[in-house]
Amino acid sequence: MAFFPSWVCVLVGSFSASLAGISNLSDIEPPLWKESPGQLSDYRVENSMYIINPWVYLERMGMYKIILNQTARYFAKFAPENEQNILWGLPLQYGWQYRTGRLADPTRRTNCGYESGDHMCISVDSWWADLNYFLSSLPFLAAVDSGIMGISSDQVRLLPPPKNERKFCYDVSSCRSSFPETMNKWNTFYQYLQSPFSKFHDLLKYLWAAHTSTLADNIKSFEDRYDYYSKAEAHFERNWVLAVDHLAAVLFPTTLIRSYKFQKGMPPRILLNTDVAPFISDFTAFQNVVLVLLNMLGNVDKSIGYLCTEKSNVYRGRSESSSRSYGNNS
């Protein structure tokens, strides 16, 4: 269907526009990047094991920062200052979630994630936080497993959330056991990254393969979280997953500057049921346009799903009719 490549071209073109004008790369880093741990020794150590609490904003951000630091030397051949490191998209997306209140408790039964309470807390009831857990823990633990971190695979342990512990994995062994294919894809990315012959385009292929596999593994596990949000926000969440698939298909380069520009099109707060794009007054024109495009994408996907179901029902009906006819003639 022609809509899909056209939609992707429009969206990527919008995100890629106006890349000039950024003089200081440190100005576009994620929120509290400088305050986040930058090396494993910044975390608590017990029995020679690094203990990380990924339900605290800074500690989870530190996982990203360490990955960026440890992989910087492999991206130096593409650009200075680690700007072309395609792992930047992960912490910048996480930072956007924090800045817009999407990591806070959507049920409001606790003060987790709110300025009036524990603003560094990441809520296990947050749909965004739960999916991001796997987009932080799996890349991080796979990096450990690949040898890039310079430690053995059994030297890192992530702490569980206060509930729903069984929905998550906490170390290399348990994550590899739960998500073997996805962990292999992240490992493949890191192994290729370390090759002196690695090419930027191929790195993007491996990264996006691992990214989309991570979402596919976990999206169904947190569908109950949609009920905690307005219909508009839940609709946006579903459409966002579709958008990621299409960005992956065109190998959108998740470098520092491009990912930063990407954020400018994202909603600056959680959506309300009264929000109707392109008429949301406290959103920029760009943010309104992106929401319209995402809504269109969701509607087309829903229509295609409906048509496929109807076609399947027609074929099933014909098959059953043929079987009855055959039975009557025998």
Side-chain angles (χ1 to χ4, degrees), residues 48-60:
S48 301
M49 181 176 290
Y50 298 100
I51 307 298
I52 301 174
N53 187 352
W55 302 99
V56 173
Y57 175 77
L58 286 177
E59 295 208 22
R60 189 184 294 192

Side-chain angles (χ1 to χ4, degrees), residues 11-24:
L11 189 59
V12 171
S14 299
F15 287 147
S16 300
S18 304
L19 290 176
I22 297 174
S23 57
N24 191 348

Side-chain angles (χ1 to χ4, degrees), residues 50 52 54 63 133 137 140-141 156-160 169-171:
Y50 298 100
I52 301 174
M63 294 162 66
Y133 177 90
S137 62
F140 182 81
L141 293 172
V156 175
R157 173 76 179 173
L158 308 182
L159 296 180
C169 59
Y170 304 102
D171 52 29

Side-chain angles (χ1 to χ4, degrees), residues 169-189:
C169 59
Y170 304 102
D171 52 29
V172 170
S173 177
S174 64
C175 289
R176 180 166 284 286
S177 175
S178 298
F179 311 105
E181 184 178 346
T182 297
M183 283 290 282
N184 282 340
K185 287 181 177 180
W186 281 111
N187 253 302
T188 298
F189 167 74

Side-chain angles (χ1 to χ4, degrees), residues 67 216 239:
I67 294 176
N239 291 344

Side-chain angles (χ1 to χ4, degrees), residues 36-53:
S36 302
Q39 53 192 1
L40 284 167
S41 58
D42 292 335
Y43 291 104
R44 181 160 55 97
V45 180
E46 292 182 3
N47 300 320
S48 301
M49 181 176 290
Y50 298 100
I51 307 298
I52 301 174
N53 187 352

